[in-house]
Amino acid sequence: MSDPILLEQIMVAAAMGLLGAVVFAAIGLVSGTDETTTLAPLTLLVVLLGVPPAGVFTFFLAGAVAKHMTHAVPTALLGIPGDTLATPLLQDANMLRKLGVPHIALRKMVSGAIVAAFVAVPLAVLFAVLLAPFGAAITKSAPWIFLAAAVLIAYFSAGRWAAVALLVPFVVVIIALQSLTAKYGVKLSISYFLGIAIGPLIADLFTVISPMGRAKMMRDKVRTFSLAPDVKGWSGYFPNPLKVMDRTQTRWTLATAAISSATFVFSPVAMTVVLGELVGSRIKHAYHRLTTVLSARNGVTEATYIAEALIPLIAFGLPLSPVAAGPAAPLFNAPPRFTVDAATGETHNLHNLLNHWEFLGYGMLAVLLAAVVSYPFAMNYARRAALFVSRKVSHEAIIATFVGLIIVISIWEGQFLGLLVILTMGLFGGLLSRLFGFNTGVQFMGYYTAVLSVPAIVKLMA
């Protein structure tokens, strides 16, 4: 009887992984589509629709892997970052564009991503299993671990000490909003999460409707892009990534992916920058340095995302990383299905519903599906896709779609109060992110500090 059930689970996981890969491969082509703003709401929607745990997991992971392949398309060909993690790749990609070989930059980036993804999943699961014996102790200490992690992640963000100091007023605002909604018998969690996720977007929307802000955002001419002709250097539809990269690039991609697969508390952007600088300092030839750094850095974006989602999820069930607290947050906490108890730190989420072997098996399935969808597409049709997106796809329409989705979810959870919380948290968090580098990863840790650490501190003081 177990075989039909297992087969059904695998079919659901494969279908959801394929859906995630297709959706986010397309989203990755659109520049400026932040991971948190896109991955988090759609994953939350999948959770709330009642999709089985294996399907939720493969949807998220295949989507993340696919997006970090196709985000290379606008970054390499148009000179604009595909998302937040593509920003550290932009300078080297632009230098290769000036040399007239953007297609080379693209191929190195995408090939580095697919190689790193296949390496990162088993390594992340291995590291999670090694940390799992400490899970019970860490769960009991959750309020203090979240507090320490929030300070650590804030310090390593762009805001440094300003971000650490801003944790205090940010946590106070969340506690105040919780007190306000409690008076009306409304308890919110998803609305806070969504407000933080789309904070920069809400801040930009408020800026646009302000005459002063709109004047600063005005441009005196339409931005133009130049696309070099595409040159295909292989036969067939699915090129071998190990042949697209040379041996040195493959070695560095594997090494940096292994390093980033073992870390889960540092900023993904910081890991991408630091490991990229490490690779660049070891290679003298300018052209080879550029292509190798791009391969390694895009591999790090894949490996870091995978590790920062999988290690906390498998080992602890607590969102103890910037990615886990941000884009992957619905895998941990999406009431009423997945929960993290604010009083005890006990969990009921994918950590409890899937075992280590299932995480490994479904994780490799998700990477395989993303590779089958995104890799050959980016390698064969990147130029045509970039032209279509830049000419035909309305960025405003995509933003409006996500805004509409978020409004629906907020009203479902808390009616009018849910919408007010999203607007308040989004505007406050978005302005802090824009002005002080208090990014969404730090803000998510601030939220968990408010709901987990503050009650423990109050109880201790009492």
Side-chain angles (χ1 to χ4, degrees):
M1 178 160 179
S2 60
D3 288 339
I5 295 175
L6 178 60
L7 181 61
E8 182 182 353
Q9 289 178 345
I10 294 173
M11 294 297 292
V12 170
M16 293 306 300
L18 182 61
L19 176 63
V22 171
V23 169
F24 285 101
I27 292 175
L29 296 171
V30 182
S31 60
T33 48
D34 181 74
E35 297 94 339
T36 306
T37 310
T38 54
L39 266 171
L42 289 182
T43 303
L44 178 62
L45 181 63
V46 168
V47 174
L48 297 179
L49 287 174
V51 173
V56 172
F57 178 66
T58 54
F59 176 85
F60 169 83
L61 194 59
V65 173
K67 192 177 193 306
H68 287 138
M69 282 193 230
T70 58
H71 78 179
V73 174
T75 307
L77 300 187
L78 300 178
I80 46 179
D83 51 34
T84 306
L85 274 186
T87 305
L89 308 170
L90 191 58
Q91 182 177 359
D92 292 333
N94 278 338
M95 292 181 72
L96 287 176
R97 285 181 69 242
K98 292 177 182 178
L99 292 175
V101 287
H103 54 287
I104 299 296
L106 173 67
R107 291 167 190 171
K108 299 294 184 181
M109 292 161 69
V110 179
S111 298
I114 188 173
V115 169
F118 278 105
V119 171
V121 170
L123 285 180
V125 173
L126 173 62
F127 292 128
V129 170
L130 294 176
L131 290 170
F134 307 100
I138 290 174
T139 299
K140 291 180 181 178
S141 307
W144 314 111
I145 291 174
F146 272 106
L147 180 60
V151 173
L152 183 66
I153 293 171
Y155 178 75
F156 282 102
S157 70
R160 286 299 177 100
W161 287 113
V164 174
L166 283 167
L167 279 170
V168 176
F170 189 79
V171 168
V172 169
V173 168
I174 292 175
I175 294 171
L177 288 173
Q178 287 179 323
S179 300
L180 172 65
T181 56
K183 288 184 178 180
Y184 296 94
V186 176
K187 186 177 181 180
L188 302 173
S189 58
I190 297 173
S191 295
Y192 290 98
F193 162 71
L194 289 176
I196 293 170
I198 64 166
L201 171 61
I202 292 179
D204 284 345
L205 291 175
F206 273 86
T207 301
V208 167
I209 60 178
S210 163
M212 184 182 299
R214 190 163 58 249
K216 292 179 181 179
M217 298 177 75
M218 291 290 290
R219 300 292 181 266
D220 57 359
K221 60 181 179 180
V222 176
R223 190 172 183 180
T224 58
F225 305 101
S226 299
L227 275 176
D230 197 7
V231 180
K232 186 173 180 178
W234 62 86
S235 59
Y237 180 69
F238 201 106
N240 185 347
L242 299 179
K243 291 184 178 180
V244 175
M245 299 185 293
D246 62 34
R247 290 184 178 180
T248 301
Q249 292 164 351
T250 301
R251 284 198 298 269
W252 277 116
T253 300
L254 291 172
T256 52
I259 293 171
S260 55
S261 296
T263 57
F264 64 96
V265 295
F266 300 108
S267 162
V269 174
M271 291 294 294
T272 304
V273 171
V274 170
L275 292 178
E277 292 296 328
L278 174 65
V279 173
S281 66
R282 298 296 188 274
I283 300 175
K284 295 181 179 180
H285 190 276
Y287 176 80
H288 194 222
R289 181 171 62 248
L290 289 173
T291 53
T292 305
V293 168
L294 281 174
S295 302
R297 277 186 169 164
N298 207 38
V300 171
T301 69
E302 287 282 24
T304 306
Y305 242 71
I306 291 170
E308 292 202 7
L310 263 62
I311 293 176
L313 187 61
I314 298 171
F316 318 123
L318 301 172
L320 296 175
S321 77
V323 172
L331 306 181
F332 297 83
N333 190 34
R337 281 198 71 194
F338 301 155
T339 57
V340 174
D341 191 276
T344 64
E346 293 181 359
T347 63
H348 177 74
N349 50 38
L350 293 184
H351 169 77
N352 311 98
L353 301 173
L354 298 175
N355 61 43
H356 300 155
W357 291 109
E358 288 174 320
F359 276 113
L360 176 60
Y362 291 128
M364 294 304 291
L365 175 63
V367 172
L368 179 63
L369 290 169
V372 169
V373 171
S374 288
Y375 181 69
F377 173 76
M379 296 292 282
N380 290 290
Y381 303 108
R383 189 179 189 278
R384 274 177 277 182
L387 278 174
F388 177 80
V389 170
S390 60
R391 290 176 175 175
K392 303 294 185 180
V393 175
S394 168
H395 198 75
E396 292 79 5
I398 293 174
I399 292 173
T401 300
F402 280 99
V403 169
L405 171 63
I406 289 163
I407 289 174
V408 169
I409 293 175
S410 66
I411 292 177
W412 167 80
E413 186 190 33
Q415 291 78 48
F416 186 62
L417 280 176
L419 186 58
L420 287 180
V421 166
I422 281 186
L423 284 175
T424 303
M425 290 304 305
L427 180 59
F428 185 49
L431 291 175
L432 292 182
S433 178
R434 289 275 188 263
L435 298 175
F436 301 102
F438 190 70
N439 62 42
T440 53
V442 183
Q443 291 177 33
F444 279 115
M445 294 310 297
Y447 168 74
Y448 286 109
T449 299
V451 299
L452 286 172
S453 305
V454 171
I457 294 172
V458 172
K459 184 178 179 181
L460 186 66
M461 294 177 64

